[in-house]
Amino acid sequence: MSPWPTVSRRQLTEGRFISAFQDEVLIAEGVTGTWEWVDLADAVRVVAVDPDGRIALVEDEFYLQRRRLLLVPGGGVERTEEPEAAARRELEEETGWRAGRLDPLGVVEQLPTATPARAHLFLARDLTPGTLAREASEEGMTLHWRTVAEAVAAVRGGEITEAGSVSAILLAALSL
C-alpha cells in the first residue's frame, strides 16, 4: 500500500518510452500535495566477465549528459519481457557476446523520487560469440575490456557514474 493514497492522477505527456504524471496525494488527514513522476520500463545492467576476468564496458553518447559515458551493457526491459531475457538480449546486441551463465546480482531503485522503474543487475559468465545488433542510436558505441580492479577504480574515480553500472560493478566485485 502506498504511504500516501492517490486522490487523483493527471497524465502530463505520453511518449514512446515514457509517460509523465502528476498525482494529487493525501499526505495527512485533510492535507493534500502533488507528486510528479515518470513511468518508464525497468532496466537491466550486465557485468559480463571473460575467462581472463575482464569486464565488458560500452562507451556511448548520451544526449542529456552531452557527453560519452562508460557503462556496463544494458537497456530497457520490454513490457512483455522478463528481466533475464532482456539482460541476455541487451548483452548480445551491444557487445556481440552471449552469456552461458547469468546470475542475478540484485535490483536497485535508480531514482525512487521520480519513477517506480528499477534496474535489474546481472553477472554474465561463460561468454560465447553472438551477433552484434546495435540500434541506430548506438552507432558510435564502442566496446572496452577492463579488469575488475580497473572497473572498480573507474567507479571510484568518477569515470563510471551511471547508477546501475556503478551498483552492478561493485556487487560483481564482491562476487568475483
Side-chain angles (χ1 to χ4, degrees):
M1 180 175 158
S2 173
W4 299 334
T6 304
V7 176
S8 65
R9 174 167 294 155
R10 181 169 66 102
Q11 187 165 356
L12 303 173
T13 188
E14 183 173 5
R16 181 174 167 212
F17 298 110
I18 69 166
S19 296
F21 297 89
Q22 184 177 58
D23 289 358
E24 181 182 4
V25 296
L26 183 62
I27 297 171
E29 189 64 38
V31 180
T32 61
T34 58
W35 197 272
E36 295 172 348
W37 60 280
V38 177
D39 182 34
L40 63 148
D42 279 4
V44 292
R45 289 285 172 229
V46 183
V47 177
V49 182
D50 75 2
D52 296 326
R54 298 176 305 161
I55 293 175
L57 298 170
V58 292
E59 185 178 14
D60 202 9
E61 296 286 338
F62 283 81
Y63 171 73
L64 293 176
Q65 287 71 27
R66 304 277 191 220
R67 62 188 170 90
R68 292 180 69 80
L69 295 179
L70 188 63
L71 58 158
V72 297
V77 179
E78 301 291 334
R79 299 283 181 198
T80 60
E81 189 176 38
E82 290 298 318
E84 181 177 329
R88 289 183 182 284
R89 176 181 51 75
E90 288 288 346
L91 175 64
E92 185 173 4
E93 286 176 0
E94 293 184 358
T95 68
W97 290 94
R98 289 186 185 132
R101 179 175 168 192
L102 193 65
D103 299 316
L105 287 169
V107 177
V108 293
E109 310 282 350
Q110 294 190 82
L111 200 55
T113 59
T115 182
R118 306 179 315 158
H120 303 265
L121 313 176
F122 293 91
L123 177 61
R125 293 186 245 201
D126 302 332
L127 304 179
T128 58
T131 304
L132 189 67
R134 293 180 180 147
E135 297 174 12
S137 64
E138 299 168 332
E139 184 178 300
M141 182 180 280
T142 54
L143 176 62
H144 306 270
W145 294 91
R146 296 209 187 160
T147 66
V148 174
E150 290 168 340
V152 169
V155 167
R156 292 182 62 124
E159 184 181 3
I160 298 174
T161 57
E162 188 271 327
S165 295
V166 167
S167 302
I169 289 168
L170 296 178
L171 287 168
L174 293 173
S175 299
L176 296 171

